């Protein structure tokens, strides 16, 4: 018990530092392109650059006026302002970003030096404080005065923050920067800088390097580069040599899966710059951290001896990025630093591997899983090591599957209709297969994040979903009701969760989600009366508000797709659920991606941006006995949807169950009264 008590604070501290480092890198990484642009301009156009241009490089005079150039203003104003804006936006969207940038301007002017650390303080501070201020009068502003209050509150608070940055924050950050710079210079002058590898290399493997690299090294390196034209600090962490040496040692002296996967990992690491690819190899044999440290120390020592460095950060840590940012007079030193770091790391790793006995083949998967646990999410390159996800890719998925499938998300533009129906259908299939704990949800593409194992989208939306969910397995479908991909996903779940259903931490898939019932069959699920959110009586009460008798039409008058959308939208409008703008958004949604679901069903609804046009949740149902053409598909049933806070998902779950059962669809086609339709969709009549 005592051991557990000691272990928890250590884990919490590591996780806390990881989160802090991730937050810092979140401000830097989106702006790396700007750093690269500044590095290119610096390398080319300064007085000692490849193509010196006084007007661009900022040296000399033109017509008796000193040239300002691009180099100085970009590093002094542009980059810190971008960082400050990004930091504020991370905390409180665009409004927080604007106030954060205003506050950053105060520290920029107050310090007179590149204020990257100041920007990392003022950006989030501006966003957080603006968020708190807005919460004071949230919902209390009289209609028509919102813009006035919002603009003046941001302007006044931004001005105050700028003054705070000028008078208070700038002097403190300047003193810290000067002190940290003196420490670095002391280490350089006394030949001690290579010792930093003792901390940096283990930090990389533990995913703690972002706090060091982006919080200290990059800001100090930029300041040093501005003064000296280059900085060694940019290569303390980014040198690919130490990791490459370890992977080469596995290529020659490894065993089994580790040996087989090492060549591919080396290519990704060295040329792609994804250093985390070698972390599992170190975790398999923790002694190999000594090889990484030896390589890092050798590389830093070489840079110090040859007085070499980069002009800007190299991100990612690819050899191409390193060479692209190398100072004009440092190519020999930088290349030597990479080669000698690789050699030192390789030699130490080879000795360790030759003198210790180990089964690499068995432990590579476990080491990869441990690496992902420390990272806090799935690795985008893990499949290179383990081969995971190959089966999924063959079935139409692209991405990585590391471990059991625990959560699946259906994504569409608004996350309101199509995705909810598809999620309900697949949820029932997965539960029927014996995996009730696999969570199946729906969301809008705008709200996706990289925490899902499997992402299902309409084939026209897959490319939009991939950037936000790069480590997930992706499935593209063209029919949300009965796509053959669903059976492939069920097999994926069965294969990855062998030995029992995938566990979720403290949350059942049915809790708070539609269709959380047992899914032995569509009819059984409805008859059993157990649905998400409670019993059949509970569902009936909710559905009576969402789907009313006056919103059901047995014979629609429309003969075209657009007219049917108008008809469904007018029923929602008549209920007071939406305004006119929502109907226009329904057409806009249909033009981007079809809402045809299969089984003669279409569910037109608005775009994600149209949620402001929804007054309350409602569903309309129109039957077209003769059918209408819907982008080349025959549609007999049109279900109009408008939902707030997922209140409409109960009824959509019932509709999904009906349309996955041929007998139920036949009953719906033969219905002679609105009450029959309501009963089929799970509404108990008073």
């Amino acid at each position: 018990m005592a051991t557990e008590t000691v272990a928890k604070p250590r884990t919490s501290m590591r996780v806390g530092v990881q989160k802090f480092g991730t937050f810092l890198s979140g401000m830097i990484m989106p702006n790396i392109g700007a750093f690269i642009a500044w590095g290119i301009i610096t390398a080319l156009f300064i007085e000692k650059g490849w193509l010196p241009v006084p007007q661009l490089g900022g040296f000399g005079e033109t017509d008796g006026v000193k040239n300002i150039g691009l180099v100085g203003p970009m590093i002094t104003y542009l980059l810190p302002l971008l960082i400050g804006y990004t930091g504020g936006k991370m905390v409180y969207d665009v409004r927080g970003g604007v106030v954060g940038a205003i506050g950053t301007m105060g520290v920029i002017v107050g310090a007179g030096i590149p204020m990257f650390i100041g920007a990392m303080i003022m950006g989030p501070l501006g966003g957080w404080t603006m968020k708190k201020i807005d919460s004071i009068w949230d919902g209390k502003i009289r209609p028509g005065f919102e813009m006035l209050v919002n603009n003046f509150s941001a302007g006044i608070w931004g001005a105050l923050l700028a003054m705070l940055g000028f008078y208070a924050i700038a002097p403190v950050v300047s003193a810290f920067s000067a002190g940290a710079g003196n420490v670095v210079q002391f280490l350089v002058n006394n030949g001690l800088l290579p010792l930093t590898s003792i901390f940096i290399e283990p930090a990389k493997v533990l995913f703690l390097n972002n706090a060091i690299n982006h919080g200290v090294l990059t800001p100090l390196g930029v300041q040093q580069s501005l003064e000296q034209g280059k900085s060694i600090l940019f290569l303390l962490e980014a040198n690919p040599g130490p990791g490459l040496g370890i992977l080469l040692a596995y290529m020659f002296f490894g065993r089994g899966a580790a040996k087989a996967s090492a060549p591919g990992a080396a290519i990704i690491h060295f040329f792609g710059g994804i250093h985390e690819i070698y972390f599992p190899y170190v975790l398999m044999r923790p002694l190999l951290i000594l090889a990484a440290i030896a390589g890092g120390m050798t590389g830093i020592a070489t840079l110090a001896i040859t007085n070499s460095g980069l002009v800007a950060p190299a991100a990612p840590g690819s050899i191409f990025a390193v060479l692209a940012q190398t100072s004009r007079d440092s190519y020999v030193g930088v290349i030597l630093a990479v080669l000698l770091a690789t050699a030192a790391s390789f030699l130490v790793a080879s000795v360790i591997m030759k003198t210790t006995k180990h089964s690499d083949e068995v432990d590579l998967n476990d080491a990869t899983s441990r690496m992902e646990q420390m990272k806090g999410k799935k690795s985008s390159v893990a499949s290179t090591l383990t081969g995971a996800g190959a089966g999924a890719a063959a079935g139409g998925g692209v991405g990585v599957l590391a471990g059991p499938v625990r959560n699946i998300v259906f994504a569409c533009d608004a996350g309101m209709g199509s995705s909810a129906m598809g999620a309900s259908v697949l949820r029932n299939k997965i539960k029927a297969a014996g995996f009730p704990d696999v969570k199946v949800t729906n969301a809008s593409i705008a709200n996706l994040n990289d925490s899902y194992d499997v992402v299902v989208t309409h084939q026209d939306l897959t490319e939009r979903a991939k950037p936000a969910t790069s480590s997930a397995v992706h499935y593209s479908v063209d029919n949300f009701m009965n796509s053959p991909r669903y059976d492939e996903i069920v097999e994926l779940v069965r294969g990855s969760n062998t030995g029992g259903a995938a566990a979720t931490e403290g949350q059942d898939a049915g809790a708070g989600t539609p269709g959380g019932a047992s899914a032995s069959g569509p009819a059984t699920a409805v008859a059993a009366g157990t649905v998400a959110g409670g019993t059949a009586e509970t569902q009936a009460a909710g559905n009576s508000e969402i789907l009313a008798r006056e919103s059901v039409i047995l014979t629609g008058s429309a003969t075209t797709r657009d007219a049917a959308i108008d008809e469904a939208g007018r029923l929602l409008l008549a209920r007071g659920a939406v305004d006119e703008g929502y109907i226009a958004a329904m057409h806009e949604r249909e033009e981007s991606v079809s809402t045809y679901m299969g089984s003669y069903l279409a569910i037109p609804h608005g775009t994600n941006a149209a949620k402001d046009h929804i007054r309350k949740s409602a569903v309309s149902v129109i039957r077209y006995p003769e059918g209408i053409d819907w982008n080349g598909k025959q549609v007999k049933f049109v279900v109009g949807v408008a939902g707030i806070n997922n209140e409409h998902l109960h009824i959509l779950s019932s509709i999904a169950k009906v349309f996955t059962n041929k007998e139920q669809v036949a009953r719906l086609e033969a219905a002679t009264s609105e009450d029959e339709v309501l009963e089929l969709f799970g509404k108990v009549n008073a």
Side-chain angles (χ1 to χ4, degrees), residues 387-401 453-454 472-475 485 488 492:
V398 291
V400 179
L401 183 62
D453 299 310
V454 177
V473 177
H474 282 259
Y475 281 86
R485 293 288 184 233
E488 297 172 8
L492 175 68

Side-chain angles (χ1 to χ4, degrees), residues 597-633:
M597 303 294 295
S599 301
Y600 305 120
L601 172 67
I603 51 167
H605 54 276
T607 61
N608 189 51
K611 290 186 176 180
D612 290 342
H613 295 287
I614 302 175
R615 300 291 176 258
K616 64 180 181 179
S617 298
V619 170
S620 61
V621 178
I622 308 174
R623 185 179 64 181
Y624 297 94
E626 302 302 321
I628 58 176
D629 178 75
W630 201 282
N631 302 328
K633 308 289 186 179

Side-chain angles (χ1 to χ4, degrees), residues 327-350:
S327 175
R328 180 180 179 182
D329 60 355
S330 298
Y331 280 97
V332 173
V334 168
I335 293 173
L336 273 177
V338 174
L339 293 177
L340 294 179
T342 302
S345 178
F346 172 76
L347 290 174
V348 175
S350 298

Side-chain angles (χ1 to χ4, degrees), residues 50-76:
W50 291 97
L51 301 169
V53 178
Q55 292 85 353
L56 296 176
F59 61 91
E61 297 181 350
T62 301
D63 298 330
V65 179
K66 184 178 179 180
N67 292 315
I68 297 176
L70 286 174
V71 176
M74 286 181 72
I75 198 67
T76 302

Side-chain angles (χ1 to χ4, degrees), residues 391-660:
V398 291
V400 179
L401 183 62
V405 173
R406 293 183 174 87
N407 53 79
I408 300 171
V409 65
F410 274 71
C412 67
D413 180 69
M416 187 186 304
S418 309
S419 58
M421 299 283 275
S424 181
V425 173
L426 183 60
R427 185 183 301 112
N428 291 337
K429 285 180 175 287
I430 290 177
K431 287 184 178 181
F435 300 95
D437 291 332
V438 175
K439 187 176 181 181
V440 183
T441 57
N442 64 287
S444 67
I445 286 181
N447 291 329
L448 288 178
N449 57 59
D450 205 11
S451 63
Y452 302 102
D453 299 310
V454 177
V455 178
V456 185
T457 52
H458 188 278
Q459 60 189 11
D460 295 336
L461 297 174
T462 303
E463 292 305 316
R464 284 176 56 191
K466 284 181 180 179
T469 54
S470 59
S471 61
V473 177
H474 282 259
Y475 281 86
S476 301
V477 300
D478 62 356
N479 183 331
F480 276 102
M481 292 302 298
N482 50 20
S483 172
R485 293 288 184 233
Y486 293 168
D487 292 331
E488 297 172 8
I489 297 172
V490 171
E491 288 306 312
L492 175 68
V493 171
R494 182 178 286 114
S496 65
N497 297 25
T498 301
T504 56
E505 297 183 6
Q507 185 175 9
D508 185 271
T513 57
S518 170
S520 55
T524 305
V526 176
T530 306
V531 296
T535 63
E537 287 78 8
T538 305
Q539 184 196 22
N543 286 352
S544 64
E545 299 175 0
I546 306 300
L547 176 59
R549 184 178 284 101
E550 60 266 28
S551 296
V552 178
I553 295 179
L554 296 181
T555 304
S557 60
T559 57
T560 65
R561 183 200 69 178
D562 290 344
I565 294 174
D566 283 332
E567 193 168 8
R570 292 293 171 190
L571 289 176
L572 299 176
L573 183 65
R575 290 276 307 282
V578 301
D579 60 22
E580 289 281 356
Y582 189 77
I583 299 177
M586 294 172 74
H587 287 282
E588 183 182 344
R589 170 67 171 82
E590 198 66 43
E591 290 301 323
S592 61
V593 180
S594 175
T595 58
Y596 173 74
M597 303 294 295
S599 301
Y600 305 120
L601 172 67
I603 51 167
H605 54 276
T607 61
N608 189 51
K611 290 186 176 180
D612 290 342
H613 295 287
I614 302 175
R615 300 291 176 258
K616 64 180 181 179
S617 298
V619 170
S620 61
V621 178
I622 308 174
R623 185 179 64 181
Y624 297 94
E626 302 302 321
I628 58 176
D629 178 75
W630 201 282
N631 302 328
K633 308 289 186 179
Q634 187 181 34
V635 165
K636 293 184 178 181
F637 303 96
V638 174
V639 177
V641 176
I644 296 177
N645 297 328
N646 295 333
E647 295 171 342
H648 62 301
L649 296 185
H650 292 309
I651 192 67
L652 287 182
S653 178
S654 299
I655 293 172
K657 291 171 184 175
V658 169
F659 281 92
T660 52

